[in-house]
Amino acid sequence: MDILNETEETEGKIIIAETERLILRRYMTEDLQDLFEYLSDTEVVKYEPYKPLTIDDVKENLKWRIETDEMIAVELKASQEMIGNVYMGKRDFEALEIGYVFNRRFWGHGYAAESCRALIQRAFADGCHRIYAECDPDNKNSWKLLEALGFRREAHLRKNVYFWKDEDGKPIWKDTYVYAKLEEDM
C-alpha cells in the first residue's frame, strides 16, 4: 500500500493527485510563507496538539514536511498558492489515518472535501482497507466534513487525551470522536 509514493513530477513539483481546482503535492521550500500564514493562526490550530507556530518553528516543521510522505500540500491551481494540507499517516493492518489543516482564508469553499475525496479514492484504489480520523467533538466543522465524506462515527472516547496542562500542572482532558471509512463503503 504505497499510495503516496506513486507520483509524477511537473515543473519541479512532485504531484500526488489533481482535482479540478487543486494540485495535491509534496511540500517544497517555497511553501514557507504560505505554511507560516496558517500554522501561526490561533483559530486554525485551535484543535491541534500545538500552539500557533513562529516563523522559526515553521522553518523546522517545513523540513519535516518535505522529508515525509505523509503530509500532502494542497495548492490552488489558479494562483499556485499553497492553502493547506492533508495528512495520510500509514497505520497497521492496511489502514491510513487522515487529517487536514487549511488556511482560514480558504475555509468554506470545499477545498478540504475536494482534496480529501481525491486522496481517499486513490488510497482505496491502491489497496487501503480502512481510513480513520480522530477529532475533537467541539470541532463541528471537522466531523461534519468527515460525515459528508461518508465516514461513520465509531467511537466517542471520553477524556482520553490531553495536550495542555492548567496552571496547577494538571492535564486538561479532552474527548475524541473516532470516524472511519472502509474500502467496501466506496
Side-chain angles (χ1 to χ4, degrees):
M1 184 182 64
D2 290 329
I3 67 136
L4 304 178
N5 292 328
E6 295 178 20
T7 59
E8 67 177 75
E9 189 165 338
T10 304
E11 298 174 10
K13 296 177 184 176
I14 302 172
I15 298 173
I16 310 301
E18 287 189 53
T19 69
E20 184 179 328
R21 303 181 296 169
L22 306 171
I23 294 173
L24 309 174
R25 61 169 173 76
R26 295 277 177 246
Y27 273 89
M28 307 180 309
T29 56
E30 296 85 355
D31 293 325
L32 179 63
Q33 280 308 124
D34 292 337
L35 186 62
F36 175 69
E37 183 175 333
Y38 69 89
L39 291 185
S40 63
D41 185 330
T42 304
E43 189 64 23
V44 170
V45 301
K46 181 177 181 178
Y47 299 106
E48 296 300 314
Y50 50 85
K51 302 282 187 193
L53 302 182
T54 66
I55 189 69
D56 289 333
D57 295 334
V58 173
K59 285 178 185 175
E60 284 303 308
N61 185 273
L62 181 58
K63 289 178 190 175
W64 169 74
R65 287 170 185 258
I66 290 169
E67 292 172 2
T68 185
D69 64 355
E70 295 184 339
M71 294 299 282
I72 300 147
V74 178
E75 176 184 305
L76 278 178
K77 282 184 177 178
S79 65
Q80 296 186 325
E81 184 175 0
M82 197 275 296
I83 63 169
N85 62 261
V86 177
Y87 170 76
M88 295 288 276
K90 295 174 186 158
R91 300 295 179 260
D92 292 335
F93 306 109
E94 298 174 19
L96 292 170
E97 179 179 5
I98 193 169
Y100 32 81
V101 178
F102 279 77
N103 185 316
R104 185 168 23 150
R105 291 189 296 117
F106 300 97
W107 290 358
H109 298 280
Y111 297 128
E114 186 175 327
S115 56
C116 288
R117 195 172 289 113
L119 293 171
I120 290 164
Q121 289 171 349
R122 180 170 174 174
F124 285 135
D126 289 344
C128 179
H129 167 69
R130 180 176 193 270
I131 300 173
Y132 76 93
E134 296 181 353
C135 70
D136 188 315
D138 292 336
N139 192 350
K140 187 175 181 179
N141 289 337
S142 185
W143 57 261
K144 287 286 193 186
L145 172 59
L146 291 168
E147 290 176 359
L149 291 168
F151 282 70
R152 294 183 191 172
R153 186 180 305 165
E154 294 185 335
H156 179 166
L157 306 175
R158 296 177 38 213
K159 296 186 178 183
N160 69 307
V161 66
Y162 70 90
F163 305 123
W164 319 113
K165 294 183 178 182
D166 65 18
E167 58 278 348
D168 297 324
K170 294 183 180 177
I172 301 170
W173 292 101
K174 307 268 310 160
D175 289 7
T176 303
Y177 282 164
V178 179
Y179 278 84
K181 183 172 185 152
L182 301 177
E183 187 273 335
E184 62 201 44
D185 297 334
M186 288 298 288

